[in-house]
Amino acid sequence: MSIKAEEISSLIKQQLANYQEQLSVEETGTVTYVGDGIARAHGLDNAMAGELLEFDNGVFGMVQNLESNDVGIVVLGDFTGIREGNSVKRTGRIMEVPVGDALLGRVVDPLGRPIDGNGEIKTDKTRPVERKAPGVMQRKSVFEPLQTGIKVIDALVPIGRGQRELIIGDRKTGKTSIAMDAIINQKDQDMICIYVAIGQKESTVRSQVETLRRYGAMDYTIVVSAGPSDPAPLLYIAPYTGAAMGEEFMFNGKHVLIVYDDLTKQADAYRELSLILRRPPGREAYPGDIFYTHSRLLERAAKLSDELGGGSMTALPIIQTQAGDVSAYIPTNVISITDGQIFLDSDLFYAGTRPAIDAGTSVSRVGGDAQIKAMKKVSGTLRLDLASYTELASFAQFGSDLDTSTQSKLNRGARTVEVLKQGLHQPETVEQQVVTLFALGKGFIDAIKIEDIQRYESELFSYMTGNHQEILDEITSTSKLPEGDGFYNAIKEFSESFQGSKEAAK
Ligand SMILES: Nc1ncnc2c1ncn2[C@@H]1O[C@H](COP(=O)(O)OP(=O)(O)OP(=O)(O)O)[C@@H](O)[C@H]1O
């Protein structure tokens, strides 16, 4: 192998050029204050907003406030080792995290360092944590469905690839469970998942990782975790880290699902660090740019145009409400940024309707575009049926004599609610959902006793797979409802043979 002289000289020139660049940015300042994850330093005259700084002891910080005499820095790590008078150095870079395939199956902190005890992450690719979201011309409208495997979502509030759908509700109403089930259902769906846990107990994150692993979902998932004992800056930066990792896949033409669990805690962390940085407090003591904090994060979720490879990043941010109050500051902000919300109701949850999704207040602004044709057809009137059922049910409590049409509406409504119930970690394929909803719409379930419905559903599907696989295949390949009477007759045949169907509905 011969080595060309020009090649060597050009390499040396390149190295020299970089060397000079590094020298020109190096600049040191002196720490004048440290406390609660924040530091101030004097003498960094040319520091840029968002620039990464390095303290004496190797801990990194990020420039947040540029003031006339000093800069406000958020410390990305343990601040207790930093002393007043220590020097702090500019790096000339903005904060970056490792990205790429090597992160799949790993649990990392918001700086991209492994915390799962499985050794170092071997990747040399990095991406900036903060990045401008794709612009109008770089996007395409959302049209491909993202199947969550949860009937009530796929039928009533369908989510498309590239959409941002908020999951909102009081504490312990099943918000995380919905996100987890959506991730579990992405197996073999050509989707990369990122779960960002913000301020959640280490033990909770651990059990979530175990769950994902048990269902084989860790193979295509990255978990970014900032625990409650981590300094506020790490909690604040965690969702941006997740977004940077997702963008790497999205810009390579892949599909990504990212969950931010939850942005309420992230907003609280940002409020904490802003107050310590002495930024003026606004409504509910949040800083003035809290809206921008969330909007620039969620705008990064996108469906890219074909020229950019057609990749997508779907975001499921989670927000916790107090006593169902969606009109508080942070909930209204995030509702207005996202393309719809899944509202979880604690009354429904405690009444046993799980997932406790309130069909009246949950919407998806991308809607039907993100459903396959068959699903669109079978779920068409479901929302209206449910709404009129809720209204009638409350009204029927007062009267005893109901005419037959009201009676049958109540009957159908009660069965619809039962059909839409679904246990934890039991995702259903879209074909399975279509079969059940078709049977419901055609009135086959009206004659089944409420307590037999779950059994009816599962037996119906095994009957279909056992005897009419060709019908299911047709739904899969054409995305449409099969033509002719075959589908109807198959369900009819099963329903007639189903034990318990002969009993009149109560
Ligand atoms: N579909 C379901 N069927 C049965 N149980 C469920 C279902 N969804 C959630 N649960 C149970 O409800 C409990 C609360 O769920 P989860 O932790 O998802 O709620 P959360 O709203 O995310 O809570 P947090 O306020 O802690 O974030 C869990 O114990 C979970 O097992």
Side-chain angles (χ1 to χ4, degrees):
M1 198 177 79
S2 67
I3 301 172
K4 288 198 193 111
E6 310 94 81
E7 256 179 41
I8 299 177
S9 73
S10 84
L11 269 178
I12 295 176
K13 271 183 198 157
Q14 255 178 25
Q15 300 248 328
L16 279 177
N18 288 343
Y19 182 66
Q20 277 164 358
E21 203 175 308
Q22 256 179 18
L23 261 188
S24 68
V25 292
E26 195 158 304
E27 190 181 310
T28 50
T30 316
V31 177
T32 54
Y33 166 87
V34 193
D36 303 316
I38 298 296
R40 291 182 169 277
H42 180 76
L44 293 170
D45 293 344
N46 299 316
M48 302 175 291
E51 185 177 338
L52 202 65
L53 305 176
E54 191 178 351
F55 291 95
D56 269 357
N57 58 352
V59 170
F60 285 98
M62 192 169 67
V63 179
Q64 279 281 313
N65 278 12
L66 296 173
E67 290 165 20
S68 50
N69 290 325
D70 54 12
V71 294
I73 306 161
V74 294
V75 183
L76 302 165
D78 183 16
F79 62 90
T80 48
I82 302 169
R83 302 261 175 277
E84 199 184 293
N86 279 175
S87 63
V88 52
K89 200 167 61 183
R90 282 185 65 194
T91 61
R93 289 182 289 136
I94 63 164
M95 193 181 150
E96 289 185 342
V97 284
V99 294
D101 288 342
L103 281 137
L104 293 175
R106 303 300 301 265
V107 185
V108 295
D109 72 0
L111 302 178
R113 294 176 300 203
I115 49 172
D116 52 6
N118 290 341
E120 76 169 299
I121 294 173
K122 291 195 182 69
T123 176
D124 44 13
K125 281 191 257 176
T126 58
R127 277 188 96 88
V129 166
E130 290 266 11
R131 190 178 182 282
K132 202 167 174 305
V136 182
M137 299 310 292
Q138 293 170 301
R139 292 174 186 250
K140 193 175 171 185
S141 43
V142 172
F143 69 97
E144 304 141 294
L146 181 144
Q147 305 292 350
T148 60
I150 303 170
K151 260 178 299 194
V152 58
I153 297 183
D154 293 345
L156 293 178
V157 273
I159 302 174
R161 295 185 174 191
Q163 189 180 342
R164 296 145 316 159
E165 181 81 9
L166 171 66
I167 303 176
I168 184 167
D170 283 0
R171 61 182 301 274
K172 294 276 167 240
T173 45
K175 303 184 293 301
T176 306
S177 305
I178 287 186
M180 281 288 144
D181 284 355
I183 294 181
I184 290 173
N185 195 47
Q186 300 314 313
K187 198 166 186 183
D188 306 324
Q189 305 259 348
D190 179 29
M191 182 79 74
I192 306 274
C193 299
I194 301 176
Y195 178 71
V196 185
I198 308 163
Q200 292 198 33
K201 281 183 289 186
E202 314 279 351
S203 58
T204 313
V205 177
R206 167 113 206 201
S207 74
Q208 275 149 358
V209 172
E210 291 301 324
T211 309
L212 292 177
R213 195 156 279 146
R214 203 166 55 244
Y215 287 92
M218 266 322 263
D219 299 343
Y220 52 86
T221 303
I222 305 172
V223 176
V224 179
S225 171
S229 58
D230 282 331
L234 288 183
L235 270 67
Y236 159 66
I237 210 80
Y240 299 97
T241 298
M245 290 171 179
E247 277 168 347
E248 170 69 14
F249 296 106
M250 175 173 75
F251 283 107
N252 279 315
K254 297 196 177 143
H255 298 284
V256 180
L257 168 67
I258 184 160
V259 177
Y260 303 115
D261 193 1
D262 64 56
L263 289 186
T264 317
K265 292 201 187 75
Q266 193 241 359
D268 290 350
Y270 190 52
R271 169 169 65 185
E272 183 182 325
L273 73 89
S274 300
L275 288 173
I276 306 171
L277 277 168
R278 300 206 199 123
R279 290 181 174 170
R283 187 174 153 190
E284 291 179 25
Y286 288 105
D289 65 347
I290 187 74
F291 185 89
Y292 180 53
T293 305
H294 288 154
S295 64
R296 72 172 191 268
L297 169 72
L298 294 170
E299 273 299 295
R300 288 165 75 174
K303 165 75 195 162
L304 292 182
S305 64
D306 294 337
E307 295 82 65
L308 286 173
S312 73
M313 182 149 82
T314 314
L316 294 180
I318 297 182
I319 286 281
Q320 194 183 86
T321 52
Q322 308 280 342
D325 180 14
V326 287
S327 61
Y329 189 30
I330 301 298
T332 41
N333 276 356
V334 184
I335 285 176
S336 69
I337 297 166
T338 45
D339 310 305
Q341 71 272 354
I342 294 171
F343 181 71
L344 297 170
D345 184 77
S346 47
D347 290 342
L348 285 178
F349 187 84
Y350 294 121
T353 308
R354 297 174 190 182
I357 296 175
D358 182 338
T361 40
S362 302
V363 290
S364 165
R365 280 171 217 139
V366 170
D369 289 349
Q371 272 176 326
I372 64 164
K373 287 207 176 66
M375 188 53 137
K376 215 188 255 183
K377 209 144 195 180
V378 293
S379 64
T381 59
L382 212 56
R383 179 186 289 277
L384 272 181
D385 288 352
L386 266 180
S388 68
Y389 165 67
T390 331
E391 206 167 299
L392 274 180
S394 54
F395 169 72
Q397 287 176 351
F398 302 107
S400 51
D401 291 336
L402 300 167
D403 58 80
T404 32
S405 116
T406 315
Q407 190 70 58
S408 72
K409 272 193 181 154
L410 283 171
N411 193 17
R412 171 70 65 86
R415 278 154 185 80
T416 309
V417 170
E418 192 60 29
V419 162
L420 293 179
K421 285 184 188 171
Q422 202 168 332
L424 266 185
H425 315 319
Q426 292 168 10
E428 288 184 12
T429 60
V430 67
E431 296 80 31
Q432 192 170 359
Q433 297 179 8
V434 167
V435 168
T436 314
L437 295 177
F438 183 82
L440 176 75
K442 295 289 176 198
F444 290 116
I445 300 187
D446 290 350
I448 312 281
K449 281 203 280 179
I450 298 263
E451 57 270 29
D452 288 336
I453 290 181
Q454 304 277 342
R455 185 164 62 85
Y456 171 88
E457 263 189 83
S458 60
E459 287 181 17
L460 169 61
F461 192 65
S462 12
Y463 171 79
M464 292 300 286
T465 41
N467 302 290
H468 296 283
Q469 184 61 40
E470 76 288 351
I471 297 183
L472 301 178
D473 291 344
E474 193 178 336
I475 301 178
T476 318
S477 60
T478 62
S479 301
K480 290 188 192 142
L481 276 186
E483 310 226 329
D485 295 335
F487 189 25
Y488 181 90
N489 289 339
I491 297 188
K492 187 164 177 229
E493 195 183 303
F494 167 79
S495 302
E496 281 167 0
S497 67
F498 179 73
Q499 280 236 320
S501 67
K502 299 283 180 297
E503 323 224 6
K506 282 191 186 149

